[in-house]
Amino acid sequence: HDLMAIHPYNPLEDPYSLYPHSLRNIDELCASIVRSHRETSQYRVEELHALRWKLFNREEIQAYQSKSVDEMWQHCAIRLTEAVQYVVEFAKHIPGFRMLSQNDQIALLKTGSMEVVLVRMSRLFNTENNTVFFDGKFAGTEVFKSLACGDLITAVFDFAHGMCALKLTEQQIALFSALVLINADRPCLEDKGRVQRVQRSVEFGLTHILHRDNQESLMHKLYQRVAVLRSLCSLHMEKLRWFSQRYPLTAHSLFPPLYKELFA
Ligand code: CLR
């Protein structure tokens, strides 16, 4: 009982005071991230499972392939922007996100929203035939041929395949998505410290559910995926710069404003 005198309690040295969470708070944090994921996930897994074999037929694939480069880019930019809008809604409901300055919220979304779209894409992916649910049916890489960025499409499909192999639960996907978004190392943050505190709480939440699911070894694999996401997003930006140079008018006047705001 003299331990307290020798080692007086210093809250700054208590790792748990960095994350002011009781176990109950962690459960609440996870539950609210999972709820937010569910409410903004665009499609439910059961719904998608039922549509698993609804593929585009030959004529429909033909129709996508005979679109011009700029027509197909515009079409995909619109679909991508819809998906991003759901991610923005998701972000707003991550505990702590709304407390960040508007500048920092935008900075996190600029770099993270595309990454979360790609994480979410794995939910819409059928590994048995390498197709993704796009425009109401399942589409293989050939559907995206007229975008003229085959390397990006292949890399994105490979990523989805790799994510599916991890067989994450919806809860794990929700926490991982939040972690991808709330990253204190993103450029242009005003209040890095505050973002760091939110990041730690989300990390703590993910650790908690992996522990509960007896799958702690997934943490390492998930961090490896994060590195792949970075490279996919820089490839996306590279393609966008290429496209904007070639088709400045489409990029300027026909892309959705949110797409331009986030990526241009
Ligand atoms: C992601 C999950 C969403 C639905 C959705 C809509 C559009 C899809 C996107 C998913 C995945 C990535 C996607 C995109 C359309 C084009 C884009 C296939 C399935 C590829 C990677 C091309 C990127 C280049 C464009 C900017 C032209 O719930």
Side-chain angles (χ1 to χ4, degrees), residues 41-43 72-84 86 114 116-118 120-124 132-135 144 147 149 152-153 156-157 236 239-240 255 259:
S41 65
Q42 210 170 353
Y43 308 98
M72 188 62 179
W73 264 81
Q74 193 198 344
H75 183 79
C76 286
I78 292 170
R79 287 285 164 272
L80 202 53
T81 305
E82 284 167 6
V84 164
Y86 284 96
M114 178 67 180
V116 174
V117 165
L118 295 178
R120 286 175 159 212
M121 170 178 169
S122 62
R123 297 172 67 250
L124 315 190
V132 68
F133 193 70
F134 166 81
D135 254 1
F144 302 96
L147 287 174
C149 50
L152 173 62
I153 301 298
V156 163
F157 273 60
H236 170 231
K239 297 295 177 191
L240 178 60
F255 275 7
Y259 183 82

Side-chain angles (χ1 to χ4, degrees), residues 45-250:
V45 256
E46 314 84 66
E47 209 179 323
L48 289 160
H49 200 83
L51 297 171
R52 232 170 149 64
W53 300 106
K54 201 175 163 195
L55 299 167
F56 284 115
N57 62 34
R58 203 174 284 282
E59 291 82 65
E60 290 166 324
I61 295 173
Q62 262 302 326
Y64 281 111
Q65 292 183 338
S66 54
K67 282 183 193 280
S68 62
V69 176
D70 60 331
E71 222 182 333
M72 188 62 179
W73 264 81
Q74 193 198 344
H75 183 79
C76 286
I78 292 170
R79 287 285 164 272
L80 202 53
T81 305
E82 284 167 6
V84 164
Q85 270 162 335
Y86 284 96
V87 173
V88 172
E89 273 316 297
F90 168 68
K92 285 199 211 153
H93 294 99
I94 297 173
F97 184 83
R98 272 183 213 253
M99 308 303 182
L100 304 173
S101 70
Q102 196 168 12
N103 172 82
D104 287 359
Q105 295 186 15
I106 292 169
L108 292 178
L109 285 167
K110 254 183 188 272
T111 44
S113 58
M114 178 67 180
E115 296 185 2
V116 174
V117 165
L118 295 178
V119 170
R120 286 175 159 212
M121 170 178 169
S122 62
R123 297 172 67 250
L124 315 190
F125 196 76
N126 183 348
T127 46
E128 286 163 71
N129 56 9
N130 269 302
T131 55
V132 68
F133 193 70
F134 166 81
D135 254 1
K137 289 190 183 178
F138 279 85
T141 51
E142 70 279 8
V143 166
F144 302 96
K145 199 173 148 201
S146 45
L147 287 174
C149 50
D151 52 348
L152 173 62
I153 301 298
T154 309
V156 163
F157 273 60
D158 284 350
F159 174 80
H161 209 280
M163 282 299 292
C164 288
L166 301 180
K167 299 211 175 302
L168 302 181
T169 65
E170 280 291 288
Q171 302 182 344
Q172 293 167 346
I173 293 177
L175 270 290
F176 180 56
S177 303
L179 190 62
V180 165
L181 211 51
I182 313 290
N183 181 344
D185 295 325
R186 301 289 195 192
C188 309
L189 291 173
E190 281 169 355
D191 192 345
K192 202 175 146 103
R194 198 192 278 245
V195 179
Q196 207 149 40
R197 284 196 293 280
V198 182
Q199 182 187 329
R200 290 214 178 99
S201 72
V202 176
E203 257 161 5
F204 202 52
L206 182 58
T207 310
H208 173 70
I209 63 161
L210 292 181
H211 177 78
R212 187 201 58 194
D213 299 342
N214 228 323
Q215 290 196 293
E216 276 124 324
S217 60
L218 270 181
M219 195 52 126
H220 174 67
K221 293 181 183 155
L222 289 173
Y223 277 111
Q224 288 175 331
R225 298 281 99 200
V226 170
V228 181
L229 277 173
R230 295 289 124 84
S231 69
L232 289 177
C233 287
S234 53
L235 195 51
H236 170 231
M237 295 308 289
E238 196 182 295
K239 297 295 177 191
L240 178 60
R241 279 191 294 273
W242 165 83
F243 180 82
S244 312
Q245 249 165 36
R246 261 188 109 171
Y247 302 92
L249 274 170
T250 306

